[in-house]
Amino acid sequence: MTLATETTETTETTETTETTETTLITEAARTTGGKVQLRLDDDWYTVCDLGALLPGRGVAALLPDGRQAALFRDRSGRLYAIDNRDPFTGAAVLSRGLTGTHGGRPFVASPLLKQRFDLTSGRCLDDERVRVTAYGVRSA
């Protein structure tokens, strides 16, 4: 009997989590009327619709010079953009990394070797000698 109760509680928790995630995605879709722009040189470049950015998930965008940017939106709506190329492996994967905070600073962890990069400065939190480009980003 105890096992059945634990299974029921786990199922209810999973259903609640899925409902909450669906609600967040639906809410993001409703409030996405703008475009995301990056500061490149002395001008703003439109890279995607705001609706393409779901909180906690990254998106890769191709830039005019052939590089890629990794774009992120946190749960409060703040936008971040850094270079998508992982400097430790050379792979364009940072947009697929896990996001979090460390000391109140937002970061993304590379999905390959797990180094963390500050989303505001591009500095590697695990090796201070390494950094990626951080871009100015806005919603227009």
Side-chain angles (χ1 to χ4, degrees), residues 36-47:
V36 177
Q37 296 182 327
L38 297 185
R39 184 83 169 160
L40 300 177
D41 299 319
D42 292 327
D43 203 9
W44 291 96
Y45 178 74
T46 301
V47 290

Side-chain angles (χ1 to χ4, degrees), residues 46-74:
T46 301
V47 290
C48 69
D49 290 332
L50 186 56
L53 298 179
L54 299 177
R57 303 218 177 158
V59 172
L62 185 61
L63 302 179
D65 64 3
R67 290 180 298 151
Q68 293 181 22
L71 309 169
F72 299 92
R73 180 180 183 183
D74 67 16

Side-chain angles (χ1 to χ4, degrees), residues 1-2 7 9-10 21 31 52 86-87 96 98-99 103 120 127 137:
M1 288 292 210
T2 304
T7 303
E9 289 175 7
T10 302
E21 288 176 4
T31 60
D86 179 339
R96 296 179 180 201
L98 297 174
T99 57
T120 56
D127 185 341
V137 62

Side-chain angles (χ1 to χ4, degrees), residues 73-132:
R73 180 180 183 183
D74 67 16
R75 295 198 187 279
S76 67
R78 285 186 297 262
L79 301 173
Y80 305 95
I82 61 173
D83 190 54
N84 195 36
R85 190 178 140 295
D86 179 339
F88 292 94
T89 64
V93 295
L94 293 181
S95 63
R96 296 179 180 201
L98 297 174
T99 57
T101 59
H102 176 74
R105 306 279 300 189
F107 72 82
V108 63
S110 172
L112 298 179
L113 300 177
K114 310 302 184 240
Q115 285 89 356
R116 299 166 299 155
F117 296 90
D118 185 302
L119 289 174
T120 56
S121 68
R123 184 176 62 87
C124 180
L125 301 177
D126 302 300
D127 185 341
E128 292 185 9
R129 299 169 296 165
V130 178
R131 71 180 330 118
V132 295

